[in-house]
Amino acid sequence: LPHGLPVNETLLARLGILSAFGLVLILLLFLRRHRLSDRAILLAAGAMALGIPLFLPHMHDRYFFLADSLTLILALLWPRCHLLSALLVQLASLGGYHAYLRLQYAFPMGLGTLMNVTALILILTDLASALSQASPPQTDPPKIS
């Protein structure tokens, strides 16, 4: 948000908490309905590690460390799909760390937020694709021989 903009911080904090809760709830509901591959599990972890601190109020750049790590792992395993999301998350974190260590902004912090939101959308899109290819879990009890 631009500096000096009059906002209702209490309302925005509640909306952020509801958004983070909604992200986790939606992911858990969708994940529960599919037999998960390793890729889907890693994508869901990356989405939660990036989305939760992005939506929650009063989160600092240090809370994105897990998202930094997981997006790098995604980029190493599937570079064609996740090199851009890893690059966006790393640049956003670099901007936050630069502002803290050098006491000046390398770029506007809103741009860092936009980079993280874009990376989250890319990860969620790939997760939706991975889940659409997955089979539903088996509901029949296993046969005992």
Side-chain angles (χ1 to χ4, degrees), residues 20 22 29 32 36 65 82 86-87 135:
L29 289 175
R32 184 174 175 216
L36 300 177
F65 182 75
H82 293 286
L87 181 65
S135 61

Side-chain angles (χ1 to χ4, degrees), residues 9-86:
E9 289 184 27
T10 305
L11 176 64
L12 288 179
R14 288 182 180 155
L15 287 175
I17 292 168
L18 284 173
S19 298
F21 178 75
L23 173 71
V24 171
L25 186 65
I26 288 169
L27 281 174
L28 291 178
L29 289 175
F30 279 106
L31 294 174
R32 184 174 175 216
R33 296 179 182 195
H34 295 86
R35 180 166 293 160
L36 300 177
S37 65
D38 292 341
R39 180 180 182 142
I41 292 170
L42 193 56
L43 287 166
M48 286 189 202
L50 183 58
I52 291 171
L54 184 63
F55 291 132
L56 286 178
H58 311 295
M59 292 287 110
H60 299 282
D61 301 302
R62 64 181 173 264
Y63 298 112
F64 287 94
F65 182 75
L66 182 60
D68 293 339
S69 302
L70 288 175
T71 54
L72 281 176
I73 291 169
L74 286 169
L76 289 172
L77 293 174
W78 300 284
R80 206 176 90 215
C81 298
H82 293 286
L83 192 60
L84 179 60
S85 60

Side-chain angles (χ1 to χ4, degrees), residues 125-137:
T125 302
D126 193 29
L127 177 60
S129 173
L131 290 177
S132 70
Q133 297 170 359
S135 61

